[in-house]
Each structure stands twice: as C-alpha cells, then as structure tokens.
Amino acid sequence: MTQISRREQNRIEREHRILEAAMTVFAQSGYSGAGMDAIAAEAGITKPTLYQYFESKEALFSAMMRGFRNEMLDVFQHPSDEGMVQDLYLFAWDYADTVMRPDMLALARLIIGEVGRFPEIGRYYQEAGPDRLLQGIMTYLDSCRAAGRLEFQDAELAAEDLWGLILSAPRTHALYKPDLVPPRADLARFIHNGLRVFLRAYSTRPADDLTQLEKLTRLPPPASTGDA
Amino acid sequence: MTQISRREQNRIEREHRILEAAMTVFAQSGYSGAGMDAIAAEAGITKPTLYQYFESKEALFSAMMRGFRNEMLDVFQHPSDEGMVQDLYLFAWDYADTVMRPDMLALARLIIGEVGRFPEIGRYYQEAGPDRLLQGIMTYLDSCRAAGRLEFQDAELAAEDLWGLILSAPRTHALYKPDLVPPRADLARFIHNGLRVFLRAYSTRPADDLTQLEKLTRLPPPASTGDA
DNA sequence: GAATTTCTTTACTTATGAGTTAAGAATTAT
DNA sequence: ATAATTCTTAACTCATAAGTAAAGAAATTC
C-alpha cells in the first residue's frame, strides 16, 4: 500500500532542503555570486545531485522564488467583534512581524537586487505579496467606511497610507542595514505613531479611537506570530 | 602656467567616464555579475587601462559608491516666504523627482542587493542620503512647530511620516518594477494625498492649509529639477 | 625634432564556476 | 539473498572573468 516509496519521500525532503539552501546562499551572495557547489554543500549534497533536481541554476532560482509564495497572505480581511482600533493594532503587529523577519528581508533584498535581470520575478513577488496584502487592507478599510467608522475617497490611497505610516521607515532602514535587527521597542514606536496619525486623518471619531489606541499601546505588544 | 597638464586633464575625464560606466554596468548586472571587461568596454577603454585607475574590482565598486555622494542633499532647510504649504508642496516634488530618477532607483537597487556583502556601503549610503535628508525635514518641521503652524511630539516621527505618506508607495513599486517608470500623474496622486493626510494630522489650522493645498494641486506640477 | 617618460593595448595566466560523464553505493523486486 | 534499477559521487571539460606582462602609441622635455 505504500504508493509513496521511501525514495520518493527522500526526494521530496531533499528538494526542500535544496530550496532552503538555495535561499540561504542566493540571499547571501546574489544570483551571480552564488555557486552551485556552495548551494549543494549547504544542502549537504554535491553538485550533480543538485542537477538531478533542477536542470539549471536559473531553473533553481525561479523554483525557489516561486516556492516562497505569499506567507504574508490574508493577514486580515474581515472586521472582528473587537472593534476597528484593535483590528488595526493587531494587524499592524502581525504585518510587522512578518515583513521584518530576517528571512523575509533577505528575500526582499535579493529580489530588489536581481529584478533588473529577472523582471518577471519582481512582478510575481509584487502580485503575490504586497498587492494581495493591499487588497486585503482595502477590503477591510472599505468595510470600515461602510460602517461609518472611516472616511476617505480612495481606498487604495488610504491603504497605502496605512502601510507607509506604519512600516515604511523601519523596513527601509532594515533593508539598508542587514546586520542590525531592529528591536521590538522601535517597531512599537512606529506602529503606535503610525496608527495615531492614520486615525487622526481618517477616523470619523478620532477622539474615541485615539483614546482606545492609547489603552492598547500601554499593554505589552502582542506575541510574535512565530518564525517560518 | 598650465600646472594641469593635458594628461592629467584626460585622466580626470576618463576617471569620470569609468565611474559612470561602472555605475551602469554594476546597476545592470550586480557586483558579481559585472565584468571588468564589460565596464572597460562601456567606458570605451580596455581592461588593463582600467586597472591603471583602480587596483581591483572591489576598489572600483567602493570608489563608485562613494562618488555618488548625496545628490539629494539639502533639499530644503529653511522656511521660505511663500508659506509652509507651498514649501512642503515644492519640497515633495523636488524629493520625488530626485528619488524616482531611474539612475537613483538603480543605485538603490544595487545597494540593497549588495548590502549583504558590503555592509559599510549600506551604512554610508543611509547616512549620506536618507539620514541627511531626514535631518533637513526635521529642521524644517521644527521651525514650523516653533512658528505655531504644526503640532507634534517627536520631530523624527513626523518627518518619517511625511516621507512615508508621500513616497513610500511609488518608490516601493518602482523598486520592484524596473521596466515601468511611473508617470508623473501617478506621483501627483501620491503627493497630493500624502500632503493632505499629513496636514490633516499635524497642522494647527488644517482647514486653511488644505484649502491652499487644493489650489496648488490644481496647477500643473512644477517642472522637474532636471536629470543628472 | 629627438629622447624619455607615461599611458594604452594586445595577448597571456590562473582560477573559479556551470554543467557532464562514468564509476560506485543504496534501494526495490524477485 | 541476488539482480536490476535508481540515485549519488568523484573526477573532468569548457567557458568566462580577474588580474598581469611585454609591446606599441602618444605626449612632455630638452
């Protein structure tokens, strides 16, 4: 009954190991800088075995990129019962914890660095990650507007504002400083401020919302959703 | 009296040509992907001549990076007589026109992509570009606060908000899509919206300022400050 | 204007990395 | 257990790219 032979099982496991190794090495050295030997060594195999799995360096690179499909998927879509401010607050932390993960930053750096040579990967990543997330935020903000809790003309701009206020600064810094992992307290500073500004600009009852936000920011930040 | 011989003159010109060529090729292919032959060819010389000017690939790369010292320098520092809203509006366009220039984006992509291997270049660039600019914005915003025109606790956060609201979105998109130069109308959309949100959140007289901003945004955008 | 110096080039050396071939180890089926 | 098959490896080929040495062109000095 073992339709899945031990061999096949090993093959699959090894493929995962290869893709992880490829991620590590490509992120460290870039596409041209990464050697197939180095990737094989990182995966604990040798080069010809690697070619058994992927016919070329480019194929491996593409497969790896496509493998990293949106972990940052539907962070949130629908309003909860806890109210908008808490939704936004938890969302902000969730998003921050994902986007600021070292491996996510390394992936972003790699894509940005190689996008000149692999334009389709830039597009793919944009659509699978940021664009989908933006859609989620837009949907949520729209529902808040429908409920009379927010006021805006253009949902896309509002969503971009939210992201720009909360994460643009720490992420930009992090992209330029790979050695420096920003402490959680720094993130809190940007998240609290960003939400404050967003609510001041967009809320239909800013005073109430800001009071509630104050309460939330006095508590310790929510636990990180965990690493990959 | 020609202390500067023709030779020296040529040398200097050629060094410029080499650095420009290096920028072009490095930006296109990354550090590892760029060949010294390709750079030499781009500069209209051959490889050994190149080594007369720079002792190694790494030296050339570093020199080039250091050569691109902040063109985005003191975009603005002091309040003008035209009033805060116009200052901010002109500043936003000035900054956008600089930051969204294809060569600036290519440079940013290159640095982000190579920062894992050249951390000091990431730091240098951050300090020479973004950090200095942020200081300029902070100084200006502080003066507005002193004049009673803006209200905030933390000048750094306010400055980051301004940048995040205006340029985070178009720049992030542009970083991932090198083939797509964002049209000026798109920039206008983000700039107008960003300033609107910023003023709503930070101005001491939001109604007045938003009216004035409306007037400005009805005019055609200011002429681009020109290419490098 | 001829000699010296400096700069530029053609032609090399060496190393590293992508991709392959043939031999050896492990696994499945009888 | 043994034969057949499949997977893995050590050793190789070929191309490209970093860096160099010696020959040739150009400019400066006497």
Side-chain angles (χ1 to χ4, degrees):
Chain A
M1 287 301 173
T2 76
Q3 285 289 23
I4 297 153
S5 69
R6 182 88 187 282
R7 257 179 199 156
E8 229 165 318
Q9 183 68 19
N10 280 347
R11 234 193 126 74
I12 291 170
E13 276 174 26
R14 190 161 290 195
E15 190 173 313
H16 272 134
R17 285 236 314 277
I18 291 174
L19 288 170
E20 270 177 37
M23 181 63 218
T24 304
V25 177
F26 277 128
Q28 199 168 65
S29 311
Y31 179 76
S32 310
M36 291 298 262
D37 290 292
I39 294 170
E42 178 75 27
I45 55 173
T46 54
K47 196 165 41 165
T49 309
L50 185 51
Y51 278 91
Q52 201 89 9
Y53 287 80
F54 299 96
E55 65 178 350
S56 71
K57 189 178 179 180
E58 198 174 326
L60 171 58
F61 186 71
S62 293
M64 181 204 73
M65 284 300 185
R66 275 169 182 70
F68 269 80
R69 49 180 61 261
N70 41 295
E71 305 200 21
M72 50 169 67
L73 358 95
D74 323 289
V75 181
F76 77 139
Q77 301 267 18
H78 304 296
S80 77
D81 295 335
E82 310 296 332
M84 181 180 73
V85 176
Q86 179 158 347
D87 282 351
L88 289 173
Y89 182 73
L90 291 179
F91 150 71
W93 273 108
D94 207 13
Y95 195 18
D97 282 332
T98 306
V99 158
M100 300 295 286
R101 247 168 46 202
D103 61 321
M104 278 289 161
L105 288 170
L107 177 65
R109 270 185 223 111
L110 178 59
I111 293 170
I112 291 173
E114 302 296 342
V115 82
R117 269 145 292 159
F118 300 95
E120 77 285 357
I121 284 175
R123 263 193 301 278
Y124 173 84
Y125 176 76
Q126 175 83 23
E127 283 158 21
D131 282 359
R132 271 191 66 186
L133 184 91
L134 201 74
Q135 274 299 330
I137 304 179
M138 282 169 64
T139 305
Y140 181 81
L141 295 183
D142 266 331
S143 75
C144 292
R145 177 169 57 175
R149 299 287 289 104
L150 293 178
E151 199 167 27
F152 51 82
Q153 304 295 321
D154 186 328
E156 189 195 335
L157 283 175
E160 293 279 17
D161 286 345
L162 184 57
W163 139 264
L165 284 167
I166 288 172
L167 276 173
S168 155
R171 193 174 121 100
T172 302
H173 289 146
L175 280 180
Y176 287 112
K177 298 187 185 168
D179 39 2
L180 215 102
V181 180
R184 222 125 189 288
D186 280 15
L187 278 183
R189 184 160 160 258
F190 287 107
I191 288 175
H192 297 170
N193 171 74
L195 285 176
R196 222 148 38 216
V197 172
F198 182 82
L199 290 172
R200 233 182 288 157
Y202 282 112
S203 172
T204 50
R205 357 179 179 132
D208 290 1
D209 287 347
L210 286 170
T211 312
Q212 199 186 338
L213 180 63
E214 280 305 307
K215 274 185 219 153
L216 287 170
T217 58
R218 265 196 281 278
L219 303 171
S224 169
T225 37
D227 339 40
Chain B
M1 283 303 169
T2 77
Q3 286 289 21
I4 296 154
S5 69
R6 181 91 186 281
R7 259 180 197 154
E8 227 165 319
Q9 183 67 18
N10 279 347
R11 232 193 128 75
I12 291 170
E13 277 173 25
R14 192 159 289 196
E15 189 170 315
H16 273 134
R17 287 236 314 278
I18 292 174
L19 288 170
E20 270 176 35
M23 181 62 218
T24 305
V25 177
F26 277 129
Q28 200 168 66
S29 312
Y31 179 76
S32 310
M36 292 298 263
D37 290 292
I39 293 169
E42 178 75 26
I45 54 173
T46 52
K47 197 167 41 169
T49 309
L50 186 51
Y51 277 91
Q52 200 90 10
Y53 288 79
F54 299 97
E55 66 179 348
S56 71
K57 188 177 178 181
E58 198 175 327
L60 171 58
F61 186 72
S62 293
M64 181 204 72
M65 284 300 186
R66 276 172 181 69
F68 269 79
R69 48 180 62 260
N70 41 294
E71 306 199 21
M72 50 169 67
L73 359 95
D74 323 290
V75 183
F76 77 140
Q77 300 266 19
H78 304 296
S80 79
D81 295 336
E82 310 296 330
M84 179 180 73
V85 176
Q86 181 158 345
D87 283 351
L88 289 174
Y89 182 73
L90 291 179
F91 150 71
W93 273 108
D94 207 14
Y95 194 18
D97 282 332
T98 306
V99 158
M100 300 294 287
R101 247 168 46 204
D103 61 319
M104 276 290 164
L105 287 170
L107 177 66
R109 271 186 222 108
L110 178 60
I111 293 170
I112 292 172
E114 303 296 343
V115 81
R117 268 145 291 158
F118 300 95
E120 77 286 356
I121 284 175
R123 262 194 302 277
Y124 173 83
Y125 175 77
Q126 174 84 25
E127 282 158 21
D131 281 358
R132 270 192 66 185
L133 183 91
L134 201 74
Q135 276 298 330
I137 304 179
M138 283 169 62
T139 305
Y140 180 81
L141 295 183
D142 267 333
S143 76
C144 292
R145 176 168 58 177
R149 300 287 288 105
L150 293 177
E151 199 168 29
F152 51 81
Q153 304 295 321
D154 185 327
E156 189 195 336
L157 283 176
E160 294 278 17
D161 287 344
L162 185 57
W163 139 266
L165 283 167
I166 287 173
L167 277 173
S168 154
R171 193 174 122 101
T172 302
H173 289 147
L175 280 180
Y176 287 113
K177 299 186 186 171
D179 37 3
L180 215 103
V181 180
R184 221 126 189 287
D186 280 16
L187 278 183
R189 185 161 160 256
F190 286 108
I191 288 175
H192 297 170
N193 172 75
L195 285 176
R196 223 148 38 216
V197 172
F198 183 81
L199 290 171
R200 233 183 287 157
Y202 283 113
S203 171
T204 50
R205 356 180 180 130
D208 290 0
D209 287 346
L210 286 171
T211 311
Q212 199 185 337
L213 180 63
E214 280 305 306
K215 274 184 220 153
L216 287 171
T217 57
R218 265 195 284 276
L219 302 173
S224 170
T225 36
D227 341 36

